[in-house]
């Protein structure tokens, strides 16, 4: 609902926000009015068939969408299509270490059944290369999230929330999941591995 769009609107002349979920766009429009931001337009659309002409944007950004996609390669090609020549393409997403992907994806699918797969860094780079995106740079970071807050904001099936708690309790000091969980003040904290991939469209 504008979490990425609003910050960019402070520094860009014009920003377009898009989501496939109408309620997300409705909420974004409400927040835009509250914030008094004038230079944003909103669209409902599908990442596999973006409703824009070729070479429409100087920068195209997506955040926390790729781990929901069944075909991230086609999505990235479509992102490249609507980006202008010499424009920047930015993908921000969770990025599980290759040796922990299976455990990570199992936990995340329990938390949110719309999760498909968290890619590792090599897979992200190969996606960018296969799409013909140049000057690829990556940066990794960790995002701390308290377990119960994460469960409350998620969509687990009945009973899966308890499975998640057990997985994290057993993973303390082991880090099979890739979350490097810790217990502090009787709460469990997860450290989500994230990546920022930036590239350039040169043709």
């Amino acid at each position: 609902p504008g979490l990425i769009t609003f910050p960019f609107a402070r520094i860009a002349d014009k920003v377009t926000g898009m989501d496939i979920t109408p309620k997300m766009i409705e909420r974004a429009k409400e927040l835009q009015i509250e914030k008094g931001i004038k230079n944003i337009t909103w669209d409902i659309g599908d990442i596999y068939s973006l409703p824009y002409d070729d070479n429409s944007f100087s920068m195209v950004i997506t955040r926390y969408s790729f781990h929901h996609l069944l075909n991230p390669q086609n999505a990235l090609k479509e992102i490249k299509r609507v980006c202008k020549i010499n424009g920047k393409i930015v993908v921000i997403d969770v990025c599980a270490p290759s040796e922990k992907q299976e455990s990570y994806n199992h936990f995340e699918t329990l938390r949110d059944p719309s999760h498909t797969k968290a890619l590792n860094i090599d897979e992200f780079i190969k996606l960018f290369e296969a799409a013909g995106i140049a000057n690829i740079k990556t940066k990794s970071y960790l995002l701390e999230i308290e377990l119960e807050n994460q469960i409350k904001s998620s969509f687990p099936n009945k009973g899966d929330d308890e499975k998640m708690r057990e997985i994290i309790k057993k993973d303390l000091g082991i880090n099979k999941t890739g979350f490097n969980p810790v217990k502090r003040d009787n709460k469990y904290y997860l450290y989500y591995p994230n990546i920022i991939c930036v590239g350039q469209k040169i043709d």
Side-chain angles (χ1 to χ4, degrees):
L3 295 179
I4 288 295
T5 313
F6 293 135
F8 275 97
R10 300 191 191 109
I11 57 175
D13 290 331
K14 181 182 177 182
V15 178
T16 300
M18 194 202 79
D19 199 283
I20 197 170
T21 309
K23 285 192 177 295
M24 282 288 191
I25 297 299
E26 290 173 14
R27 181 56 181 154
K29 288 179 178 179
E30 293 171 357
L31 291 172
Q32 181 183 6
I33 293 172
E34 291 176 16
K35 295 174 181 291
I37 300 173
K38 306 293 185 182
N39 60 333
I40 303 176
T41 57
W42 305 96
D43 293 312
I44 297 170
D46 186 332
I47 195 169
Y48 298 119
S49 182
L50 295 171
Y52 310 113
D53 294 334
D54 295 356
N55 306 307
S56 291
F57 303 99
S58 59
M59 182 180 286
V60 186
I61 307 109
T62 180
R63 178 175 179 261
Y64 295 152
S65 63
F66 267 49
H67 65 277
H68 293 289
L69 302 179
L70 295 173
N71 195 327
Q73 190 69 72
N74 283 357
L76 191 58
K77 289 179 180 177
E78 185 68 353
I79 286 172
K80 181 188 176 187
R81 179 186 68 79
V82 302
C83 186
K84 291 180 178 179
I85 300 295
N86 296 321
K88 295 290 181 66
I89 293 165
V90 183
V91 175
I92 305 166
D93 206 66
V94 293
C95 181
S98 57
E99 69 276 11
K100 302 179 190 296
Q101 275 179 303
E102 184 176 350
S103 296
Y104 179 98
N105 287 320
H106 173 65
F107 179 90
E108 282 295 276
T109 303
L110 290 175
R111 184 182 68 80
D112 180 359
S114 72
H115 175 87
T116 58
K117 179 186 177 183
L119 303 176
N120 63 49
I121 187 169
D122 290 336
E123 289 172 323
F124 272 110
I125 291 173
K126 287 178 182 177
L127 280 180
F128 271 59
E129 291 175 341
I133 298 170
N135 302 321
I136 303 166
K137 297 180 181 179
T138 64
K139 182 177 179 62
S140 299
Y141 68 97
L142 298 176
L143 179 66
E144 181 188 85
I145 300 179
E146 194 270 322
L147 176 61
E148 292 305 317
N149 286 338
Q150 182 71 325
I151 292 174
K152 289 176 184 177
S153 64
S154 302
F155 310 96
N157 292 318
K158 186 177 181 180
D160 284 349
D161 54 341
E162 194 55 42
K163 293 178 184 177
M164 292 163 59
R165 293 184 183 98
E166 285 302 310
I167 289 172
I168 296 304
K169 288 177 184 178
K170 292 178 180 178
D171 202 36
L172 290 174
I174 299 172
N175 194 27
K176 181 180 178 181
T177 60
F179 292 116
N180 197 27
V182 299
K183 186 177 181 181
R184 189 169 67 244
D185 299 326
N186 289 319
K187 294 182 178 180
Y188 295 93
Y189 292 86
L190 312 181
Y191 292 86
Y192 273 78
N194 288 266
I195 193 170
I196 304 171
C197 287
V198 181
Q200 188 174 28
K201 176 180 175 178
I202 59 175
D203 57 19

